[in-house]
Amino acid sequence: MTAHNSWLSGLVIHGDGRGNALGFPTANLDVHASGCADGVYAAWARIGDEPRWRQATASIGDNPTFGDVTETRVEAHIHDFAGDLYGLRVELQLVALIRGMTAFDDVEMLISRTADDLIVSERLLATIAPQDAPLQSLTLRTEE
């Protein structure tokens, strides 16, 4: 795992619906350029105007297991949230790179690895408190 410290913010848009079908619903963020390496990250997420940070696991990349995504996507599974996030702004604080983006041979392997990633993310976030974004991080945020 690699320590990381980046902030991203974007409106939640519709994705392909795969995360929900796999048992790990994700918020797909409208972020034009993340500036971060592709991979899976332990992250803190803040929804809309909530003051509370929530544990999350974020994926940045082109979903190589499925092979039909050509652009980089930013998706976050917010661990303790169930509900509709479409149209809301979600702010992500990436704190540790768990692993690089990987193409799995089948969906079952992807599901198993994702479950493991969530456990690793939860353990990391239990030891790392969220921080306020520095002013220079505003360049990573998308414009409304």
Side-chain angles (χ1 to χ4, degrees):
M1 273 145 283
T2 304
H4 206 277
N5 208 7
S6 294
W7 285 262
L8 302 172
S9 181
L11 294 179
V12 177
I13 58 174
H14 288 275
D16 298 323
R18 288 187 185 129
N20 199 35
L22 298 174
F24 307 101
T26 59
N28 295 270
L29 302 187
D30 185 16
V31 177
H32 300 292
S34 74
C36 301
D38 287 0
V40 176
Y41 293 83
W44 289 105
R46 185 162 45 198
I47 301 167
D49 294 331
E50 283 187 352
R52 173 184 176 198
W53 286 97
R54 298 167 182 263
Q55 290 188 350
T57 303
S59 170
I60 298 176
D62 62 0
N63 301 358
T65 298
F66 298 99
D68 61 350
V69 176
T70 58
E71 74 280 353
T72 297
R73 294 184 177 177
V74 176
E75 305 176 35
H77 173 74
I78 302 172
H79 297 190
D80 64 347
F81 183 85
D84 183 2
L85 294 171
Y86 295 115
L88 295 176
R89 178 164 295 283
V90 170
E91 183 176 2
L92 290 178
Q93 184 181 141
L94 307 177
V95 297
L97 177 64
I98 295 172
R99 64 174 174 86
M101 194 56 58
T102 304
F104 293 94
D105 293 334
D106 59 49
V107 174
E108 289 76 25
M109 289 177 69
L110 171 61
I111 291 170
S112 176
R113 184 57 189 262
T114 301
D116 291 345
D117 292 339
L118 295 183
I119 292 168
V120 171
S121 181
E122 289 173 354
R123 288 180 179 159
L124 285 168
L125 294 170
T127 66
I128 303 169
Q131 301 174 2
D132 290 328
L135 292 177
Q136 64 267 25
S137 75
L138 295 177
T139 58
L140 294 177
R141 300 173 195 266
T142 59
E143 298 295 322
E144 290 187 341

